[in-house]
Amino acid sequence: MISRNSLLGRFGRHYPAVAGITLLAAVTAMALLAPVLFPQGPWRMVGRPQLWPGADPRFPLGTDILGRDLLACLFYGARVSLLIGLSATLAATLVGTMIGAAAGFFGGKVDRWLMGFTEIFQTTPPFVLAVVVVAAFTPSLTSIIIAISLVSWPPLARLVRAQFLQLMPREFVLAGIVMGMSNTRLIVTQLLPNAITPIIVSSSLMIASAILLEAGLAFLGLGDPNAMSWGYMIGVGREVLRTDWYITTIPGLAVLLAVLAINLVGEGLNDALNPRSRNR
Amino acid sequence: MSRNAQDLIRFVLRRLIQSLPILLGIATINFLFVNLAPGDAADVLAGEAGAASPEFMAALRERYGLDQPFYVQFLVYMGKLLTFDLGYSFRFSRPVTELLLGTLGPTLLLMSTAILFACSMGVFLGVLAARCVNRWPDYLISVGALIAYATPVFWLGLMMIVLFSVKLGWLPSSGMQTIGAGYTGWRKIGDVALHLIMPATVLGMYLTAFQVRLIRASMLEIGEQDFVTTARSKGLSEQTIAYRHVLRNAILPMVTMVGLQVGAILGGSVLIETVFAWPGLGRLAYNAVFQRDLNLLLGLLFLCSIMVVVTNILTEVAYRLIDPRIPLK
């Protein structure tokens, strides 16, 4: 049985988080099942163009301006959104943690230089920088992931640094130093495990903003031309917005629900992992 | 001139000088992008002219200094930046600076309206939520904020066009003024205001959500302090207490939030201006992306960074004006 105060128990009593995880499971299932349910891929013209949802039972969500099945596009879009969201977050978390950890651990000159470097990236508006990076290196999954992680790591670096600054004067760290632990060992075995909670929480929220960034890029025509994504679908639907607005509405709702799900899970994680905010 | 004003001017100048290294860093990154990106300006020009002989390409490279060593190009680039020369847009056949300054006005108008809207809406809803804490208006507002965080702004803009322009016909769907109407004076201002409603609302949405949460939290926190109890015991109405006593103390974090979010708003305006065909920096960015005009994009990035730096200095000045006890760091 799950005890009331265990991690799972606390998470489970947080109803919005449970709703979030259910939604997220649905999106993940969409991403995984896309090639099984729609083996012909999302790009094939399968029916009459601009069929409204429900007009033809073969296409429950209708077809777009090129006669592509919107449901299939939606399923394949989930793959792209999750893939980009997860990989960009992973890369940004690694970079942010390394820079923040180095700044907090070594302090002094290293800290000043690294934080100056971070401030440069915090001053440039994230989305504009992402646009420039993808436009400069032609749009592809790799360049999009690089661009999104490039604009996402600075807040995390600041967070990790702040955590490290708090932990550095603590006794267990001092004990480690006296024992002659190497810097790497101190960071990896003593400091990081104690700073991991806020890193997990803000990384989970970062997935959501990465998905929003990707949708924005794809909408501007900066998506991978070989990957069907929700942002691209919104951009396509825009051309017939006045008559067939459902082509735009459906993928937008998908982005909204996916991002909402991740935000809910992130907040649930925060409440479950953060004892101070318990029983609020 | 009063001492206070002198202090303020000295502070602004000092902060401007302090931000120079950051701007220098951004310029360096810009330069690296130009050189890391595949192809150079000569390739672009040659592509424009169709086929080009190697001799022609070499002549082009010489003319634009592209045959110089890396560090020389870097120094030349920096020297040009100092005079705010951001290079030449080969696609628009005009200097980048000229293009940017020509579209800066509409963007500033859009952004300031969005920020103003977000702050007033945030105050109104935040105060409402705090006064009805844990009752249905509070829940409704919290859920609304949660959904606002998750909504792609450009999509919301498109949906509003469908509702308010296509279905209801209340608001114009694109541009900054009615083309060919030739309005002047107040009519013109009214016309622009009508065009401004949708893009400014959508652009301000994230900031509104942030402000609502912030105002609600600080209202609840400050509402428990002694001076509020005093005000209540004097028999002041809850309305007066909320807006005259509590809110004043919640203004500072609000200003901070604007400073923190200005970069995100600038990014959002690229999308929003594209959706609403607003003739500002954002739409220029979209055209630059569409035409792969890297010089123009980098100039834009640089100008946007300057705008963020300036806003951050302005927020600190605002602190001082709102609360004279805060020392200028």
Side-chain angles (χ1 to χ4, degrees):
Chain A
M1 216 184 91
I2 297 164
S3 91
R4 275 182 65 78
N5 265 327
S6 75
L7 194 70
L8 262 179
R10 264 183 273 141
F11 191 86
R13 267 182 289 123
H14 198 293
Y15 299 115
V18 175
I21 210 125
T22 318
L23 257 174
L24 194 58
V27 177
T28 315
M30 277 168 74
L32 293 176
L33 290 178
V36 182
L37 294 176
F38 306 97
Q40 77 278 25
W43 301 98
R44 273 262 307 272
M45 185 173 165
V46 288
R48 217 154 48 81
Q50 282 149 282
L51 275 176
W52 275 71
D56 185 334
R58 281 189 305 152
F59 313 113
L61 292 182
T63 56
D64 73 356
I65 51 170
L66 291 173
R68 295 176 292 214
D69 183 0
L70 275 182
L71 191 65
C73 293
L74 214 56
F75 271 60
Y76 278 92
R79 276 171 99 78
V80 173
S81 282
L82 283 188
L83 174 73
I84 290 181
L86 288 174
S87 347
T89 301
L90 193 69
T93 306
L94 281 178
V95 174
T97 307
M98 281 202 289
I99 290 183
F105 185 82
F106 294 109
K109 250 199 186 119
V110 178
D111 184 26
R112 268 203 302 284
W113 277 99
L114 286 178
M115 283 303 111
F117 184 66
T118 311
E119 203 173 343
I120 292 174
F121 280 89
Q122 282 197 306
T123 308
T124 50
F127 187 70
V128 185
L129 182 58
V131 165
V132 171
V133 173
V134 178
F137 297 94
T138 60
S140 70
L141 283 180
T142 322
S143 69
I144 294 167
I145 290 170
I146 291 176
I148 294 178
S149 43
L150 194 68
V151 302
S152 305
W153 64 268
L156 198 80
R158 293 215 169 254
L159 182 89
V160 174
R161 172 181 176 268
Q163 287 284 312
F164 269 48
L165 287 182
Q166 258 178 33
L167 292 170
M168 282 303 280
R170 297 269 287 273
E171 270 143 11
F172 69 91
V173 180
L174 298 178
I177 297 173
V178 173
M179 278 165 66
M181 280 187 183
S182 70
N183 287 344
T184 325
R185 197 165 155 220
L186 261 177
I187 292 176
V188 176
T189 65
Q190 304 299 311
L191 287 153
L192 267 184
N194 284 291
I196 203 80
T197 307
I199 297 179
I200 290 177
V201 171
S202 47
S203 295
S204 66
L205 295 173
M206 204 193 279
I207 303 175
S209 60
I211 289 179
L212 281 175
L213 276 172
E214 190 275 333
L217 287 171
F219 173 71
L220 288 183
L222 290 171
D224 186 324
N226 300 311
M228 175 60 75
S229 87
W230 292 337
Y232 167 79
M233 290 168 74
I234 296 176
V236 168
R238 193 188 164 201
E239 290 167 32
V240 289
L241 186 70
R242 284 174 185 273
T243 47
D244 299 297
W245 47 266
Y246 69 94
I247 303 176
T248 307
T249 309
I250 290 170
L253 281 175
V255 179
L256 200 164
L257 289 177
V259 173
L260 185 66
I262 295 166
N263 281 341
L264 289 175
V265 172
E267 286 195 15
L269 270 180
N270 186 36
D271 290 355
L273 292 171
N274 199 349
R276 261 168 300 174
S277 69
R278 210 183 296 169
N279 302 330
R280 258 189 321 190
Chain B
M1 196 187 284
S2 74
R3 244 207 88 186
N4 239 331
Q6 269 178 10
D7 273 358
L8 216 55
I9 291 171
R10 203 171 298 141
F11 165 77
V12 169
L13 284 178
R14 197 171 62 236
R15 280 300 313 263
L16 276 174
I17 292 168
Q18 279 171 355
S19 354
L20 282 181
I22 293 171
L23 290 177
L24 194 73
I26 292 167
T28 311
I29 290 172
N30 271 4
F31 177 77
L32 288 177
F33 274 135
V34 180
N35 285 280
L36 282 175
D40 59 13
D43 289 323
V44 174
L45 283 175
E48 217 97 299
S53 64
E55 292 79 32
F56 178 63
M57 294 285 283
L60 271 180
R61 291 213 163 86
E62 200 188 320
R63 182 165 164 218
Y64 290 104
L66 298 168
D67 57 343
Q68 299 286 320
F70 204 61
Y71 69 92
V72 175
Q73 285 193 44
F74 181 67
L75 289 177
V76 170
Y77 180 80
M78 287 296 174
K80 282 184 173 172
L81 268 191
L82 282 180
T83 56
F84 216 74
D85 175 358
L86 292 167
Y88 194 76
S89 162
F90 295 106
R91 299 295 164 114
F92 288 91
S93 306
R94 279 167 70 189
V96 168
T97 313
E98 196 185 308
L99 280 166
L100 291 180
L101 292 182
T103 49
L104 184 60
T107 294
L108 285 180
L109 176 68
L110 178 64
M111 278 179 61
S112 44
T113 316
I115 291 174
L116 218 64
F117 165 79
C119 291
S120 36
M121 210 51 200
V123 164
F124 176 71
L125 292 174
V127 169
L128 187 68
R131 287 182 59 190
C132 311
V133 74
N134 290 336
R135 279 186 285 138
W136 66 264
D138 182 26
Y139 289 129
L140 209 63
I141 291 168
S142 297
V143 170
L146 211 57
I147 292 176
Y149 284 130
T151 310
V153 277
F154 55 98
W155 176 76
L156 186 69
L158 291 170
M159 291 300 103
M160 283 177 77
I161 289 179
V162 171
L163 181 63
F164 293 109
S165 305
V166 180
K167 299 283 168 202
L168 298 171
W170 290 352
L171 294 169
S173 66
S174 69
M176 194 164 95
Q177 43 197 312
T178 314
I179 298 163
Y183 292 134
T184 48
W186 285 107
R187 296 272 318 260
K188 185 175 174 175
I189 294 175
D191 189 42
V192 172
L194 206 61
H195 281 81
L196 197 55
I197 293 176
M198 277 203 289
T201 314
V202 180
L203 184 59
M205 184 188 61
Y206 284 135
L207 188 60
T208 311
F210 279 117
Q211 300 286 28
V212 167
R213 280 193 158 189
L214 196 78
I215 293 286
R216 179 183 178 275
S218 33
M219 289 281 294
L220 290 179
E221 196 187 305
I222 297 166
E224 286 167 11
Q225 285 182 16
D226 287 344
F227 73 93
V228 180
T229 315
T230 312
R232 206 164 274 143
S233 63
K234 280 199 311 195
L236 294 181
S237 74
E238 284 298 313
Q239 186 88 14
T240 318
I241 293 171
Y243 279 99
R244 295 214 47 156
H245 293 254
V246 182
L247 191 61
R248 283 186 173 207
N249 288 280
I251 292 279
L252 280 183
M254 247 175 87
V255 174
T256 313
M257 187 56 87
V258 172
L260 283 174
Q261 291 296 319
V262 74
I265 296 176
L266 265 168
S269 72
V270 175
L271 290 163
I272 295 300
E273 290 182 13
T274 303
V275 167
F276 290 100
W278 188 262
L281 285 175
R283 210 175 50 138
L284 188 66
Y286 176 72
N287 289 333
V289 167
F290 201 66
Q291 318 219 5
R292 297 283 183 270
D293 191 334
L294 198 59
N295 250 354
L296 181 52
L297 271 178
L298 290 170
L300 246 153
L301 187 65
F302 192 65
L303 179 67
C304 288
S305 310
I306 293 178
M307 283 165 76
V308 173
V309 167
V310 170
T311 319
N312 284 335
I313 297 176
L314 285 181
T315 49
E316 278 176 70
V317 172
Y319 278 180
R320 172 69 177 198
L321 295 179
I322 293 165
D323 189 347
R325 291 170 302 182
I326 295 175
L328 290 168
K329 276 176 290 184

